[in-house]
């Protein structure tokens, strides 16, 4: 294991933020505030995973000593960035509301049907976060946010590699078929943004706009506005290759499937 975390908030030059580049862009506020909530809650995710994999000392040690610490640091770093730009935002109240709303969706008994398949599902989650911060780094109008997103992205790619390694170990024991692995991966992909992102942005919106309610239609409109960022900055090929890795497709088949999957993913994410 490497020394963790490999960077700290002191490495982010918050005092150098060029506020005028981003302060009036409300969608950036919601995106970053929501991401800070989801990342900060990683201590709860980590406890659930440690319980689920409790017999695996290597996995639980890594989850507690590395993954949890780095994920929570991502949340705190994003929180610090948000409050530098929008200091009047009551982050703590909005985060508390998010935690209360999301708790029912974050239970150990909702994890995968087997340990190998849960590790494969974690690969989906890390693919999503690595791709998300790659997009943020590319699309950001503000240099310090580019730096911060790059730091987080590197951590998420590293986390993916660990989850994939643990998946391989469990897969040797369980011997799940490609079909079963692919079905579990698709299930997790289809669940992305269904609860945590929506609830995070909802609580950020309702605290920032007292008396107003954030609905599913508002979230759909927000995602539609994000379509331009996605189409121009989302790393589709990287994401698809990461998603396909646990399925272990033959190289020729993967090469044939990649263009079709890229077109489908671009259409789905940008819509």
């Amino acid at each position: 294991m490497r020394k963790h975390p490999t960077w700290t908030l002191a490495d982010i030059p918050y005092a150098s933020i060029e506020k005028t580049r981003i302060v009036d862009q409300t969608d950036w506020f919601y995106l970053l505030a929501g991401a800070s909530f989801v990342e900060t809650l990683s201590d709860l995710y980590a406890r659930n995973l440690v319980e689920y994999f409790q017999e695996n000392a290597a996995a639980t040690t890594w989850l507690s000593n590395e993954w949890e610490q780095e994920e929570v640091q991502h949340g705190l770093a994003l929180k610090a960035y948000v409050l530098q730009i929008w200091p009047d935002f009551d982050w703590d109240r909005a985060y508390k509301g998010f935690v209360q709303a999301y708790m029912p969706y974050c239970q150990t008994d909702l994890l995968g049907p087997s340990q190998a398949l849960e590790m494969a599902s974690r690969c989906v989650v890390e693919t999503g976060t690595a791709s998300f911060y790659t997009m943020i780094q590319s699309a950001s109008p503000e240099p310090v946010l580019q730096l911060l997103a790059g730091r987080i992205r590197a951590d998420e790619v590293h986390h993916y590699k660990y989850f994939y390694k643990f998946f391989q170990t469990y897969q040797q024991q369980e011997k799940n078929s490609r079909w079963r692995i692919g079905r579990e991966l698709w299930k997790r992909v289809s669940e992305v943004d269904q609860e945590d992102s929506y609830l995070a942005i909802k609580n950020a919106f309702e605290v920032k706009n007292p008396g107003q309610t954030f609905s599913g239609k508002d979230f759909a409109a927000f995602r539609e506005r994000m379509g331009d960022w996605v189409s121009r900055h989302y790393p589709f090929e990287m994401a698809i290759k990461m998603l396909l890795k646990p399925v272990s497709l033959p190289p020729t088949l993967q090469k044939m499937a990649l263009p079709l999957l890229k077109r489908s993913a671009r259409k789905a994410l940008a819509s």
Side-chain angles (χ1 to χ4, degrees):
M1 290 188 180
R2 60 183 187 177
K3 183 179 179 181
H4 294 279
T6 58
W7 56 275
T8 70
L9 271 64
D11 296 315
I12 308 301
Y14 290 106
S16 300
I17 293 173
E18 299 178 30
K19 297 181 182 180
T20 56
R21 288 176 174 262
I22 196 171
V23 66
D24 294 327
Q25 301 190 41
T26 307
D27 283 336
W28 275 108
F29 163 75
Y30 293 127
L31 192 71
L32 298 174
S36 73
F37 298 162
V38 174
E39 296 278 10
T40 303
L41 195 62
S42 293
D43 56 349
L44 177 58
Y45 307 145
R47 288 198 296 272
N48 289 344
L49 290 171
V50 166
E51 180 181 346
Y52 191 68
F53 295 103
Q54 58 186 293
E55 86 297 337
N56 187 332
T60 56
T61 298
W62 176 76
L63 286 165
S64 298
N65 294 346
E66 179 175 329
W67 185 77
E68 177 183 353
Q69 291 182 36
E70 292 189 344
E71 293 292 325
V72 171
Q73 178 171 271
H74 297 167
L76 297 177
L78 289 165
K79 173 186 177 181
Y81 186 89
V82 167
L83 293 180
Q84 283 284 329
I85 307 294
W86 300 279
D88 295 334
F89 176 59
D90 191 344
W91 189 95
D92 292 322
R93 184 160 71 91
Y95 176 67
K96 182 178 179 180
F98 166 68
V99 172
Q100 290 176 340
Y102 189 62
M103 284 286 284
Y105 300 101
C106 194
Q107 305 292 334
T108 304
D109 57 7
L110 297 178
L111 297 179
S114 77
Q115 291 175 313
L117 294 176
E118 177 56 31
M119 285 297 185
S121 294
R122 299 312 307 177
C123 289
V124 172
V125 175
E126 297 298 336
T127 296
T129 52
S131 301
F132 173 77
Y133 289 108
T134 300
M135 182 185 75
I136 296 300
Q137 184 180 21
S138 176
S140 171
E142 198 286 309
V144 175
L145 179 57
Q146 291 177 343
L147 171 65
L148 175 56
R151 294 274 193 173
I152 298 176
R153 175 198 180 276
D155 286 345
E156 303 292 6
V157 171
H158 180 75
H159 298 166
Y160 173 94
K161 293 176 181 178
Y162 262 84
F163 281 117
Y164 179 70
K165 181 183 73 172
F166 289 128
F167 160 75
Q168 288 179 302
T169 300
Y170 283 114
Q171 174 62 6
Q172 289 176 357
Q173 302 167 8
E174 297 181 18
K175 303 188 185 306
N176 295 288
S177 67
R178 288 194 179 106
W179 168 255
R180 191 178 186 201
I181 295 169
R183 184 176 61 184
E184 191 66 23
L185 295 179
W186 175 252
K187 176 184 175 184
R188 188 57 64 97
V189 167
S190 67
E191 292 172 350
V192 170
D193 287 338
Q194 286 189 359
E195 289 101 14
D196 55 356
S197 296
Y198 167 70
L199 292 172
I201 294 174
K202 173 181 171 66
N203 279 277
F205 177 92
E206 292 182 354
V207 168
K208 184 174 175 62
N209 303 279
Q212 297 186 42
T213 301
F214 188 83
S215 68
K217 289 183 179 180
D218 295 320
F219 186 60
F222 173 80
R223 286 176 58 89
E224 185 175 353
R225 294 195 300 274
M226 295 300 100
D228 181 56
W229 294 359
V230 170
S231 63
R232 291 190 293 126
H233 300 287
Y234 195 85
F236 289 98
E237 183 164 337
M238 180 192 88
I240 291 169
K241 286 181 177 179
M242 291 172 73
L243 285 173
L244 289 177
K245 197 169 183 179
V247 184
S248 297
L249 289 177
T252 302
L253 182 57
Q254 178 164 319
K255 185 177 180 179
M256 292 172 57
L258 189 60
L260 175 61
L261 292 173
K262 282 176 63 177
R263 287 195 296 272
S264 300
R266 185 179 292 274
K267 182 178 180 181
L269 286 176
S271 61

